[in-house]
Structure formats: structure tokens, C-alpha cells
Amino acid sequence: MRRFLLMAFVMLGVLFAEAQVPTPDQFLGYPLGTQFTPHYKVVDYFKQVAATAKNVKLEQYGTTYEGRPLLMAIVASPENAGRLEEIRQHSLDMSNAKGNSAGNQPVIVWLSYNVHGNEAVSTEASMKALYELVNNGNAQTQQWLKNTVVIIDPCLNPDGRERYVSFYNNTRSVTPNVNRWSREHNEPWPGGRANHYYFDLNRDWAWQTQKESQQRVAKYNEWMPQLHVDFHEQEIEAPYYFAPAAEPFHDAITPWQRQLQVLIGKNNAKYFDEQGWLYFTKERFDLFYPSYGDTYPMYNGAIGMTYEQGGSGRAGVAVLKRDGDTLTLTDRIAHHFATSMSTVEVASQQAAKILSEYAQYFEAAQKTPQGGYKSYVVKAGGNTEKLNTLAELLRKNNISVGFGASTGSASGFNYFTGKTETFTIDKEDLVINAYQPHSNMLRVLFEPVSRLTDSVTYDITAWALPYAYGLTSYAVKQPLTPVTDAPAARNNTPLSAQKPYAYLAKWNSLRDVKFLSSLLQNDIKVRFTETPFTAGGKDYPAGTLVITRSGNTAKGDQFDRFITMQANHFKISLDAVTTGFVDKGMDFGSDKIRFIRKPEVTLLAGRGISSLGMGEIWHFFEQQLDFPITVVDERNVEDINWDQTDVLILADGDYKIFEDKAATDKLKEWVNNGGKLIALESAAVQVAGADWGIKLKKEEEKDKEAKEKAAAARPYEALKPYANRERESIKQFIPGAIYKVQLDTTHPLAFGYPAFYYTLKQDAHLYEFIENGGWNVGVLKKDSYLAGFVGASTRQQLKDGLLFGVKEIGSGSVIILADNPLFRSFWENGKLLFSNAVFLVGQ
């Protein structure tokens, strides 16, 4: 009996030791591909695998806006699983040019799935990839893991994915309906692509405006992998896409990075050829814009790649293609799984070369940085708040910065004048030396003009941070060494004993707006000056905030403490004055010192409206200003209490309200009675077409005549080859270029700015100058183009027109913003312009 029990325990021990990780099918209770898996079940499966397999470490690196966990599973061989911290640190050291010896370092491969929520197949594929990597019965994957560590992020965008999965699982037929016009193949607005605030997380890697991006990129930069793959989906009819990428490649990308993309692409092709699966390479998906899931790793020394499966949110579990074939979720999972494994295989085969090239990349970046400029100086110019925000962004991207320099002056290219000039370097100026390991990313973010090898590109073509932040900057051909890591911070001290007459605060950055938002919500009465003034021997520009003790007596003795506490929180410098009698200009009792009424703000949302544009505004108020905003579906616009609405914002989109005369008349009546309408991009076009006294600029007759004469002189010019159709189309193309806008700085819409503003132009829309009853605040004149690709026809149109204007109607106003000042929330300099429209115009 004892012998029998002993044998039983031995057998039980063997069974336990050999207990296999459950397959996804076993754990979920249904075959992968038969339905979409809710996010919580994906999380549970990853937890189960980590609990069963000893060579998997599961880490939660953050949460989404809606509270869902963000996970990464780190898979290694049994030998490497116990030294993951050593491996991580070694990779980080190589990226910081602290030695290029690979030793027994494995290649780190990071696989990112489902950044676009309704491209939901990749999360399903991530479970299959995880299983096969830990499956002891898979000899291939176990061999690959001997010199690779694989990091799997199963879902970069859980909120968006769950929005899609919930929709699909609630509407699908018992037997999947393959007709793409059926309900299950048509998501309602806003769709599941974007995150909670409708941001495209795949365009947020460098800017890190979203919670998910901030947490993910911070973790990415702790590991600094050598390979990164971003898994996507595209339209239903499209074959599978994988690297090598399309032109344009940014010239910061090295020959080795190009070469390895080709090697991986050929290995992917081998597996697709075996199965007879269709695919394409070298088309559509380029490597230029720096904030993608492929380019961001590329500019950080890794091999970054995008893989695109046909299907996306419309495909569901099964959908009929135009060629008569049915595309299934099972097919789509198989394709993403194949490229996942193929990438790990090449990483294993090329491990020594990958690690050697990776180390050399950062060593070269530090010793011989690319490009003609070896330093960058960003002037504080009285705007340390905005300068510090820029410094924070650069540090998030592993770029070392400092302040001041050992020399008091230098010569460099002035971004704002386009000329090489001699300038002074003050102790509070931001100085960035290019002789550092991450100089390639620095160069990409700061180069005045990015060179395009191909005009057909997938995204914006200009993004230089000096323009995005509106800070005077210089690119210098010599290295400059910063003196300090950070300037001395100045804290405001409560002056309760002195009881100042008023506190004065600058108005030239987003932090100033946040400060104002906090004061208004705490019932502090705030004013701003419409004209410059001098007080206490110091000059103050228009827009300066004036916070008087008068009107705020309810705060009693806490008034001074509260104002200074809030200013310190937002890192705002205050000045205190003892009298309302100014040295020069208007005294504080003048009607030129305007009272800021706390506005009740409404934002329209719904079908036809850009979810991206609307989301940028929603995020701006809730996450940046912490200021209340009421979001209303346009279907319910009749329910709005107009008596309790001060500001109505229309993001980019197509609004039904302008198709209904009664609704339009009601809107006009509200504006006439003191309401403020802010219309952006195509919403402004609709306003211009609705008889509000604003007109879209049309092509001038003389330009038409010139074109007709030119065409008559070249009668066969219209005979263009069909093969050149893509090239011909880009004559009207403007994917995103920078233009210099002339500002009327005497108008509140332009307060806090110099005489110009740099806008990111993405269409050819301009408006005629307002002749009566309004103000042309931001205009394009001739030769306003600065950087980025603009088609020849569009470039000819973009001159002598209005971009930002205010039309006064009765007691209210309509504000036209032809371009989006909140674009992707990284165009920092536009945030003050938008805030002026909300808080200052019309007060």
C-alpha cells in the first residue's frame, strides 16, 4: 500500500511538473476566432499563463482613463527569466552609450497589439503568440528564446477596444452575417478606434499627451528594445502589409535599419508564400512622422515596423469580400500570429548583428551626431512656463537638456527669421547639446525643414518644436554645453500682512490658463487688461491678469494665501501692487480692465462630427484645464438651455444644425443676445456658407484667367499618363505644413503672442477679410509658407486671406479658427489662442 501511494505521489508530481499552460481555446471555452474576447478575459488569460509558466513575468504598467489595466508579459528562456533586471539594465546602458559589449545579452523584441481599438484582431493573436512562446512542446520557439526576450503588450488601447467589442458582441447575429451593410459591420459614432478621449494613440508616441501613451512610453524607455512591431488592420479588401516600409524614409534611419526591415520582410514572405496568402510591401506606410509606433522606435535605435491585416472594425467575425471570398477572424489571427513568430525568429537568427548595430547606433549618435546642427538654444523670452513644458517633453523622450551656457553668445539659424544671426544666451535659456546618445530623436524633433524623399506621405510633414511651442530658437553648428540642469525655481510668498491691492500674473502660456481656470472655479474674481500698462516701474502687456482684493473680500484673510498657493502649484510668478493707480496706461477701475465671467461651455458631439477634433477639445477642458464642459449630442441640440450657455464650440465636422433654417435662426438669435460661437476647421466652412457675414475665400478671377491662358498655351497638358495619377493628385495635397500667421496683437484673441503665430495648415481653406463688424486677427499674407510639403496648386491659393477672425453680431460674437490650434494636443502654442477665444474674447 505504501509503495502504491508512493507511486501515486510520484505520478502526481510528474503530472504537476508537466502541467501545460492552457491554450487560449481551453481557457476561454471557445476557439479563437469564433468571437471577440472582452478585455477582462484577455487579462485573465495572461494572468493564468504567468501563474502557470515560470518563464513569464506579467507586469501592470498603468491604467486607462476608464480604469482598465495596461499589461506587459515578459517571456524569456528559463536561463534568462531569472536575470531580467540585468538584461533590462544592459539594454538601457547600450542605449545610453555606456559600452557596446553585448556579452550574453539577448535581443529584446517588443510586440504591441491593438493600439487602434476596433482593429481588434491583434489582441486575439497576442494570446496565441503568448501561448506558443511558453509552449514547451514547441521546439522552435524554445530555441528562439535562448537569445531573445519577448515583451507582449496585448492591448495598448483597452478603452477603445472594449467600445468596439461591446458593440460587436451586442449586435452580431448568431451566425455571422457576412454582408457588410448589416448592423454588425457598421459601428456607431465615435467607433472604437481611439481611446477614451478619442485620441489616436498611434500618433502620440513622441508627444505623450494621453495617459496610456505616457505610461507605455515611460516603460518602453526603461527597456529600450531592439525590435518593435505595431500590429494594425486596414480596409477589408487590402492584402496583408509588412515591412520594408514605403518611402519617404527619414534620412536619420540607418542603412542597417533598412536592411533588417528587408530581412524580416523576406522571412514573413516565406511563411505567407507557403500558405498562398496575399501581401504587399514598400507601399503606403512610410517612415517619416516621428510619433508612430514604428518611427519612434526607429529614431531610438530599434527596428520599428507596422504590420497591417485587412479587416478592421467593419470585418467582424466574418465578412464577404468583393472577390467573393469570406474574410474570417480566424484568418486574420493566423496572419498576425505568423508575422509575430517570424519576427522573433529573425531576431534570434540575427541576434549578434542586431545587438552590435544597436550599440554602435547610440555610440555614433553621441560621438558624431547627424545633421549640420550640433546644439539648439531655446530662448525663455519671458515665458519660462512654456519653456519648462518643452524641457519636460524632451526629458520624457530621453533627451538631455540644460539651461544657460559657458559662453554668453553664439551664432545660429533663427527659426523665426530664417537667417543666421548672433544672439545672446541667458542663464534661463534652454540649451541642448547634440553630442548625446539620443541626438537622432533630438534632430528629428528640431530640424527646421525635414527633407522628403517622396512627396506622397501618410501624415503631417512638419512638426519642428520651436514652431509648435512658439519659442524663439536657434540651431547652432557648434556644440554648446549647458551650465545647469534646471533654473532656480521662484516661489511666491503670501503677503497677507501687507494686503496688496492686487496681484498681477502674466498671460502667455497654458499654465497661465490653468491658473485662471482654478481661480474661476474657486469663485475668485479675475480681470484682464485690454491695453498695456506700467505699474511699480514694470511694464505689463495686454492680457495681463489682474486679481484685485476688491471683489474677493469673501476670502478674507485666506485671499493672499490661496492666490499664492495656486500660483505656486502651476509655477506662475506673481507680482503684487499696492495701488490701483498705475504709472502709465489705464488704472484698474477703467473699463479697459475687463472682468472675466466664468463661462458655461458647451461642445457638440455626434455623427458627422470629427471624433478626433471633438476629443481634443474635450480632453483639453477636462484633463488640461480641469474646467467643466457640457458635451451634447447634436441630436439633442434642441434641449440646450441657451440662457445657461455662454460658449458653444463646434469642432471639425459636418453639422445638421446648419441644414435646418429654424435651428440656425435660433443659434443666430442666441449669438445676437450675447452668445459666443467658436467654429473650427470645416465647421467654420459651414458657418461661412450660412450667411453669418463671413465668406470663404474663392480663387480670384485674375488667377483663373492666368490658368486659362497657360492651359491654352499648352493644349496637350491635360494628357497625363494614368500611371502618374498619384503624383498629379498631390498638387492639391497639404498633409500638414507650417505657415507664419500675422497677428493683430491688440485684439484679445491674440493676447499673449508676439506679432506672429505659426500654424499647422492641413487644408486650403482661407476666408475673405472681414470688412465690417469684425476683426481680422490672424491672416496669411504673401510668402507665409515655412516648412512641410504643400502641393503646387494649394500653395498658390494660401495667401492674402483670413485664418483667425472674430465677427461681432449684436451682443455676441462668432470666432473663426480655420486651423485647429489644439491639433493632437502637441501644438502647444495654439492652446493659448484657443483659450483666448473661450475666456477673453467678448468679455
Side-chain angles (χ1 to χ4, degrees):
M1 185 66 177
R2 289 180 62 191
R3 184 178 179 186
F4 175 78
L5 288 173
L6 180 61
M7 288 293 292
F9 279 121
V10 169
M11 290 298 293
L12 186 62
V14 171
L15 286 172
F16 183 77
E18 295 178 352
Q20 294 296 306
V21 172
T23 67
D25 295 3
Q26 291 168 339
F27 180 84
L28 299 172
Y30 53 83
L32 275 181
T34 58
Q35 68 181 70
F36 285 104
T37 307
H39 183 257
Y40 78 90
K41 283 190 176 181
V42 177
V43 172
D44 287 347
Y45 180 67
F46 270 70
K47 288 180 177 178
Q48 180 64 41
V49 172
T52 309
K54 295 182 179 179
N55 60 329
V56 176
K57 178 185 177 184
L58 188 64
E59 182 178 340
Q60 180 175 333
Y61 65 83
T63 57
T64 68
Y65 284 110
E66 295 176 16
R68 294 185 177 88
L70 295 165
L71 301 177
M72 54 187 283
I74 308 164
V75 187
S77 67
E79 297 79 15
N80 287 330
R83 62 184 196 97
L84 288 178
E85 179 56 26
E86 173 193 332
I87 291 168
R88 185 195 70 80
Q89 189 60 53
H90 195 142
S91 181
L92 196 59
D93 287 345
M94 284 193 293
S95 74
N96 288 321
K98 295 180 179 179
N100 61 1
S101 173
N104 63 343
Q105 176 79 1
V107 172
I108 300 173
V109 181
W110 189 305
L111 305 177
S112 289
Y113 298 92
N114 218 160
V115 68
H116 292 146
N118 58 4
E119 298 174 12
V121 61
S122 64
T123 289
E124 308 292 333
S126 76
M127 291 186 279
K128 185 173 177 61
L130 176 65
Y131 171 74
E132 290 301 339
L133 286 171
V134 302
N135 179 8
N136 290 329
N138 189 326
Q140 269 192 323
T141 59
Q142 301 315 296
Q143 181 64 32
W144 297 338
L145 285 175
K146 289 183 178 179
N147 57 358
T148 63
V149 168
V150 182
I151 298 175
I152 295 178
D153 186 331
C155 187
L156 280 66
N157 182 10
D159 292 349
R161 183 176 198 276
E162 197 62 18
R163 193 183 309 131
Y164 171 74
V165 171
S166 177
F167 149 76
Y168 187 80
N169 288 343
N170 284 333
T171 58
R172 63 167 292 186
S173 304
V174 173
T175 299
N177 191 318
V178 298
N179 296 315
R180 64 179 75 183
W181 60 84
S182 67
R183 182 173 64 153
E184 66 189 77
H185 295 295
N186 293 276
E187 291 177 85
W189 190 94
R193 176 182 174 89
N195 75 339
H196 172 79
Y197 282 106
Y198 311 153
F199 273 71
D200 186 335
L201 296 179
N202 187 43
R203 287 160 170 80
D204 194 43
W205 279 75
W207 320 131
Q208 300 171 50
T209 69
Q210 299 302 288
K211 184 178 182 180
E212 296 91 345
S213 306
Q214 293 160 6
Q215 295 166 124
R216 182 185 69 253
V217 176
K219 186 58 63 176
Y220 181 97
N221 287 335
E222 288 178 10
W223 279 87
M224 291 301 291
Q226 285 75 55
L227 270 79
H228 179 265
V229 182
D230 204 22
F231 291 84
H232 289 262
E233 291 186 75
Q234 51 190 324
E235 63 271 18
I236 290 171
E237 304 298 331
Y240 199 98
Y241 163 83
F242 48 74
E247 293 287 353
F249 278 62
H250 196 287
D251 58 11
I253 295 171
T254 67
W256 161 248
Q257 288 174 312
R258 286 173 173 254
Q259 181 185 342
L260 189 56
Q261 276 211 344
V262 173
L263 287 175
I264 294 172
K266 287 183 175 179
N267 202 57
N268 290 342
K270 176 183 71 175
Y271 290 107
F272 275 57
D273 290 343
E274 288 175 359
Q275 299 295 328
W277 296 335
L278 291 175
Y279 58 89
F280 68 98
T281 67
K282 303 181 289 292
E283 295 181 71
R284 290 185 61 190
F285 303 104
D286 59 71
L287 292 173
F288 196 64
Y289 172 70
S291 203
Y292 280 135
D294 53 8
T295 50
Y296 187 85
M298 278 288 206
Y299 300 144
N300 279 287
I303 309 302
M305 292 172 293
T306 291
Y307 292 166
E308 295 265 0
Q309 164 63 44
S312 198
R314 291 205 66 188
V317 171
V319 67
L320 188 65
K321 297 174 64 179
R322 292 194 181 96
D323 62 7
D325 285 343
T326 299
L327 177 66
T328 68
L329 182 57
T330 303
D331 297 332
R332 293 149 66 198
I333 292 171
H335 301 162
H336 267 335
F337 171 72
T339 55
S340 298
M341 296 298 101
S342 171
T343 302
V344 177
E345 179 183 26
V346 176
S348 177
Q349 294 169 347
Q350 299 288 328
K353 179 66 171 174
I354 290 172
L355 290 165
S356 173
E357 291 286 346
Y358 184 79
Q360 289 177 33
Y361 178 95
F362 292 101
E363 186 177 347
Q366 178 165 270
K367 292 181 178 179
T368 56
Q370 294 182 10
Y373 299 116
K374 306 307 178 187
S375 299
Y376 301 90
V377 177
V378 186
K379 301 290 291 180
N383 202 331
T384 56
E385 295 92 348
K386 195 185 293 182
L387 190 74
N388 288 334
T389 301
L390 173 58
E392 288 172 10
L393 175 68
L394 296 175
R395 292 190 186 104
K396 286 179 182 177
N397 287 296
N398 282 335
I399 295 170
S400 298
V401 304
F403 292 84
S406 53
T407 178
S409 64
S411 178
F413 172 83
N414 184 327
Y415 286 76
F416 286 7
T417 66
K419 300 176 181 178
T420 299
E421 303 169 356
T422 299
F423 63 96
T424 59
I425 304 175
D426 300 314
K427 62 181 181 179
E428 65 269 20
D429 294 340
L430 186 67
V431 175
I432 315 147
N433 191 330
Y435 286 83
Q436 58 173 294
H438 294 272
S439 62
N440 284 329
M441 177 57 86
L442 169 64
R443 173 200 167 193
V444 170
L445 295 179
F446 267 79
E447 57 191 354
V449 178
S450 300
R451 187 174 66 86
L452 275 167
T453 57
D454 193 317
S455 302
V456 182
T457 182
Y458 201 63
D459 212 294
I460 64 172
T461 54
W463 51 78
L465 293 182
Y467 302 127
Y469 277 72
L471 292 168
T472 303
S473 304
Y474 296 87
V476 182
K477 293 185 176 180
Q478 291 77 36
L480 296 171
T481 303
V483 175
T484 61
D485 290 336
R490 173 196 162 186
N491 262 359
N492 301 286
T493 304
L495 301 174
S496 305
Q498 292 94 324
K499 292 189 179 299
Y501 184 89
Y503 290 96
L504 307 178
K506 290 184 295 185
W507 183 259
N508 58 12
S509 76
L510 178 60
R511 295 191 187 189
D512 303 323
V513 185
K514 291 179 178 181
F515 176 54
L516 172 64
S517 169
S518 177
L519 296 182
L520 293 179
Q521 290 183 80
N522 283 279
D523 298 322
I524 298 292
K525 292 181 172 58
V526 184
R527 292 170 169 79
F528 72 95
T529 175
E530 272 197 340
T531 56
F533 68 89
T534 303
K538 184 175 179 179
D539 294 331
Y540 294 90
T544 298
L545 299 182
V546 180
I547 312 157
T548 60
R549 187 175 301 278
S550 174
N552 289 303
T553 53
K555 289 290 180 181
D557 294 338
Q558 294 300 311
F559 172 72
D560 302 272
R561 184 174 300 278
F562 179 80
I563 298 300
T564 52
M565 179 182 69
Q566 291 299 307
N568 290 338
H569 175 72
F570 294 107
K571 300 179 181 178
I572 302 296
S573 295
L574 293 174
D575 288 335
V577 291
T578 58
T579 176
F581 187 93
V582 301
D583 304 338
K584 184 179 179 182
M586 303 301 174
D587 297 327
F588 293 164
S590 166
D591 63 2
K592 297 296 189 296
I593 309 296
R594 295 285 189 173
F595 174 68
I596 302 175
R597 178 186 175 192
K598 178 187 173 185
E600 296 293 333
V601 183
T602 297
L603 170 66
L604 292 191
R607 187 175 180 180
I609 298 169
S610 166
S611 59
L612 296 174
M614 174 265 163
E616 287 160 355
I617 298 167
W618 184 23
H619 179 268
F620 181 69
F621 277 93
E622 288 200 346
Q623 294 295 325
Q624 298 180 61
L625 298 188
D626 191 22
F627 192 87
I629 184 171
T630 301
V631 178
V632 177
D633 193 297
E634 194 192 10
R635 294 175 302 176
N636 306 119
V637 70
E638 293 182 358
D639 297 333
I640 294 175
N641 186 332
W642 294 105
D643 292 336
Q644 295 179 11
T645 303
D646 301 307
V647 179
L648 178 67
I649 303 175
L650 306 182
D652 183 33
D654 182 19
Y655 291 83
K656 299 297 183 185
I657 193 172
F658 293 110
E659 298 174 9
D660 183 333
K661 185 177 185 306
T664 304
D665 288 345
K666 190 170 185 179
L667 187 61
K668 285 183 178 178
E669 180 184 2
W670 168 76
V671 172
N672 192 69
N673 291 334
K676 182 160 56 179
L677 178 67
I678 302 175
L680 291 83
E681 299 182 274
S682 60
V685 175
Q686 284 192 277
V687 170
D691 191 27
W692 291 70
I694 298 162
K695 296 181 180 179
L696 198 62
K697 191 173 189 292
K698 303 290 179 65
E699 189 175 17
E700 295 180 14
E701 286 299 321
K702 61 180 181 181
D703 291 336
K704 288 183 181 179
E705 292 173 7
K707 285 184 179 180
E708 289 170 359
K709 288 181 181 178
R714 298 187 295 273
Y716 302 118
E717 186 179 24
L719 305 181
K720 300 177 178 67
Y722 176 74
N724 291 347
R725 63 193 182 280
E726 191 173 24
R727 300 287 156 198
E728 287 297 322
S729 68
I730 66 173
K731 290 182 178 180
Q732 287 80 38
F733 193 41
I734 178 168
I738 298 173
Y739 275 75
K740 186 174 183 178
V741 183
Q742 302 297 320
L743 294 180
D744 173 7
T745 58
T746 67
H747 192 280
L749 185 60
F751 282 176
Y753 287 94
F756 50 84
Y757 168 83
Y758 294 98
T759 190
L760 188 66
K761 201 91 187 74
Q762 295 180 277
D763 58 41
H765 291 147
L766 274 178
Y767 297 85
E768 292 184 4
F769 296 133
I770 300 171
E771 294 184 1
N772 298 301
W775 308 98
N776 302 291
V777 183
V779 302
L780 288 188
K781 297 183 178 178
K782 291 181 176 64
D783 303 320
S784 296
Y785 164 80
L786 203 64
F789 177 78
V790 184
S793 299
T794 297
R795 188 164 177 174
Q796 181 66 23
Q797 289 176 249
L798 289 175
K799 61 181 180 181
D800 298 328
L802 172 69
L803 276 183
F804 308 128
V806 178
K807 174 67 175 178
E808 295 176 346
I809 299 176
S811 301
S813 55
V814 176
I815 301 171
I816 293 294
L817 302 177
D819 296 337
N820 181 6
L822 302 181
F823 180 71
R824 293 181 187 167
S825 198
F826 92 90
W827 205 259
E828 191 71 19
N829 200 34
K831 294 175 182 178
L832 184 69
L833 182 75
F834 184 81
S835 301
N836 285 342
V838 173
F839 293 104
L840 303 191
V841 174
Q843 295 282 9

